Amino acid sequence: MTPPAAPPGTAAEPDSPAADRPLLRAAGLHKSYGATPALAGASFSIDAGEVVAVMGPSGSGKSTLLHCLAGIITPDEGTVHFQGAELSALSDSERSRLRRGDFGFVFQFGRLVPELTCLENVALPMRLAGTPRRAAEGTAGEWLARLEVSDTHAKRPGQISGGQGQRVAVARALAARPRVVFADEPTGALDTLNGERVMELLTAAARDTGAAVVLVTHESRVAAYSDREVVVRDGRVRDLGAGAAGHR
Amino acid sequence: MSISHTLLGLLEAGPRHGYDLKRTFDERFGHDRALHYGQVYATMSRLLKNGFVEVEGFEAGDGPERKRYAITDAGVTDVGRWLTTPEKPEPYLRNTLYAKVVLALLSGRNAAELLDVQTAEHLRLMRELTRRKRDGDLVDQLVCDHALFHLEADLRWLELAAARLDRLAEELRR
Ligand SMILES: Nc1ncnc2c1ncn2[C@@H]1O[C@H](COP(=O)(O)OP(=O)(O)OP(=O)(O)O)[C@@H](O)[C@H]1O
Ligand SMILES: [Mg+2]
């Protein structure tokens, strides 16, 4: 995979190994919705190939953090660096190119495009990144097979089960070989067996492709698929194991 | 877990030597904790005395591990009774974690931190079991899942306790 060119004015070197710095790093994020503070000084970092679980009570700011990290919303204060480039310094079109090429997304209810077949859904991010149709659909077919849902090829999202839809969504998130997968409660709508299988497939595929995974979940059995966990509490990110001094 | 019933149950499939019984037990049910030879002999001599097993032969050499044991009819009946009697569910009412939280609050220590550190420790073990499950066969998966669901229950309680810490502190002050 060819990483996108570094935006002008940054010292990013996309081809250098990320050994000495995190792939994605956020510092001092603040975000309020009106008078409601969602993030109040949240910091976070993740290395290439790492799976980090983001846990914490409902309303603590997990989704807001994930959206800031992915450049979907802009924080009021603080910075997010991806491969050395600051997201807020990018133009809108550069940011959306990043979201299409380098980031993959899995949400609780899959959020597939209802008018497209499952194969077309999985091929979509690759098509948007400029891959020709046949190549994109070929790769999409392989990913559907890998997620054990080859039989959904020609079906539309309305014609498959929730568990199948979730697997299609994971295939879509990974098929474009993103550097970071953002998953917000990816198993929230699934039973135990299906949830575990989706986690197995997601983390195995991420390991194989070297993608980092930011995994928002409130289920400990899902978080147990990660390499480490952080907890969002009152809009800040804490590292549990370090005790009270564990602010990162 | 009843070691004597489990060993007796293993004998139902056919006679075994003492060392063979220990090895099979460890493989099937031991997981992190292997049986001591001492436990096996003590258990087998009790079963002998109760007439649930008999010694069927000896292998050349010395020591109780060379004895070959066979189950008796009384033994088979006893295994059957054990298998069909439901286990008493663990009441879980006495709990070290709860005691620690209360004592931390009473002594003015940081109970929230105690809960956090415990949560991290539980999650560490859950991560390890999840890895073992991934690399293991169906038997490993079932055993690890059993442990994972119990740890998950503890974690839910830890979360609930953390959310109610202020109220608990207030009640304890009364
Ligand atoms: N679009 C929005 N408009 C207004 N308030 C919002 C919006 N999104 C989130 N909030 C508020 O910001 C806070 C953090 O919300 P967020 O969605 O990040 O929490 P969360 O940790 O993901 O919760 P959950 O586990 O329930 O998904 C909450 O108080 C929420 O009500
Ligand atoms: Mg959320």
Side-chain angles (χ1 to χ4, degrees):
Chain A
M1 192 208 74
T2 327
T10 68
E13 296 168 277
D15 288 324
S16 69
D20 56 344
R21 57 151 190 256
L23 179 66
L24 182 69
R25 176 166 48 89
L29 297 182
H30 287 256
K31 175 74 191 177
S32 296
Y33 297 101
T36 313
L39 294 179
S43 298
F44 177 87
S45 75
I46 187 168
D47 292 335
E50 207 183 9
V51 180
V52 179
V54 178
M55 307 183 72
S58 186
S60 58
K62 303 180 296 293
S63 296
T64 306
L65 173 68
L66 186 128
H67 293 155
C68 286
L69 291 173
I72 295 171
I73 58 175
T74 308
D76 303 334
E77 249 182 77
T79 54
V80 180
H81 283 86
F82 172 67
Q83 291 186 325
E86 202 200 318
L87 293 192
S88 66
L90 303 180
S91 68
D92 283 349
S93 69
E94 283 170 326
R95 249 200 315 275
S96 45
R97 202 178 59 211
L98 198 73
R99 283 204 298 269
R100 280 204 300 265
D102 286 312
F103 294 168
F105 297 90
V106 189
F107 296 103
Q108 184 172 355
F109 295 105
R111 292 207 203 158
L112 301 169
V113 182
E115 294 82 11
L116 301 179
T117 65
C118 291
L119 187 73
E120 289 164 344
N121 262 287
V122 177
L124 188 61
M126 291 178 277
R127 298 278 289 127
L128 290 174
T131 309
R133 183 190 190 100
R134 284 186 59 153
E137 294 194 347
T139 307
E142 286 164 24
W143 277 93
L144 284 176
R146 182 157 182 181
L147 272 296
E148 304 166 343
V149 280
S150 289
D151 49 336
T152 64
H153 265 223
K155 292 185 176 165
R156 288 177 212 287
Q159 301 170 310
I160 60 176
S161 78
Q164 288 170 326
Q166 209 61 12
R167 290 173 190 226
V168 174
V170 172
R172 182 184 58 180
L174 286 157
R177 298 215 157 229
R179 304 297 313 273
V180 187
V181 176
F182 296 95
D184 198 346
E185 300 283 2
T187 62
L190 304 180
D191 64 22
T192 303
L193 259 185
N194 260 294
E196 301 240 338
R197 190 73 191 130
V198 163
M199 282 315 299
E200 254 167 47
L201 295 168
L202 172 61
T203 49
R207 263 199 311 279
D208 290 352
T209 61
V213 181
V214 182
L215 169 69
V216 170
T217 182
H218 65 270
E219 286 182 72
S220 52
R221 263 177 315 101
V222 172
Y225 282 87
S226 69
D227 299 311
R228 65 181 166 94
E229 75 282 340
V230 297
V231 172
V232 181
R233 214 174 269 160
D234 304 325
R236 303 179 63 119
V237 181
R238 295 202 39 185
D239 200 354
L240 278 183
H247 289 271
R248 291 167 60 101
Chain B
M1 153 169 209
S2 164
I3 292 173
S4 72
H5 282 118
T6 311
L7 291 177
L8 201 53
L10 286 175
L11 283 177
E12 213 178 332
R16 288 172 191 270
H17 285 95
Y19 58 80
D20 188 25
L21 265 178
K22 175 196 150 38
R23 193 177 42 81
T24 309
F25 180 97
D26 289 347
E27 270 173 23
R28 278 267 156 91
F29 309 113
H31 302 291
D32 295 328
R33 255 186 306 175
L35 279 185
H36 300 296
Y37 270 113
Q39 276 174 292
V40 180
Y41 308 141
T43 307
M44 293 321 288
S45 49
R46 208 171 340 110
L47 290 171
L48 265 173
K49 215 173 72 199
N50 292 339
F52 292 155
V53 299
E54 56 199 15
V55 174
E56 204 201 56
F58 297 86
E59 206 171 64
D62 234 9
E65 77 270 20
R66 310 274 181 183
K67 277 186 189 158
R68 193 172 158 83
Y69 299 97
I71 195 167
T72 61
D73 287 345
V76 173
T77 309
D78 194 53
V79 173
R81 195 165 39 226
W82 177 62
L83 286 178
T84 50
T85 309
E87 292 293 309
K88 197 168 168 358
E90 280 273 348
Y92 295 115
L93 288 174
R94 215 183 240 230
N95 166 345
T96 313
L97 289 181
Y98 172 71
K100 278 191 171 184
V101 171
V102 170
L103 290 172
L105 287 173
L106 285 175
S107 63
R109 289 186 173 84
N110 191 339
E113 187 184 325
L114 182 158
L115 292 170
D116 278 356
V117 172
Q118 189 64 54
T119 299
E121 197 59 30
H122 266 62
L123 280 169
R124 206 187 333 274
L125 179 55
M126 288 183 76
R127 207 177 279 123
E128 187 192 317
L129 291 167
T130 302
R131 257 196 309 272
R132 258 166 70 174
K133 207 167 89 167
R134 187 180 76 209
D135 303 332
D137 55 15
L138 184 60
V139 173
D140 293 320
Q141 285 170 21
L142 274 174
V143 170
C144 289
D145 271 330
H146 185 254
L148 281 165
F149 281 118
H150 280 81
L151 290 164
E152 182 191 28
D154 278 350
L155 273 174
R156 288 186 175 200
W157 181 83
L158 286 165
E159 202 181 316
L160 202 73
R164 292 179 179 169
L165 214 47
D166 291 345
R167 265 175 57 202
L168 179 61
E170 229 170 81
E171 295 211 359
L172 289 173
R173 268 198 298 272
R174 282 204 216 123

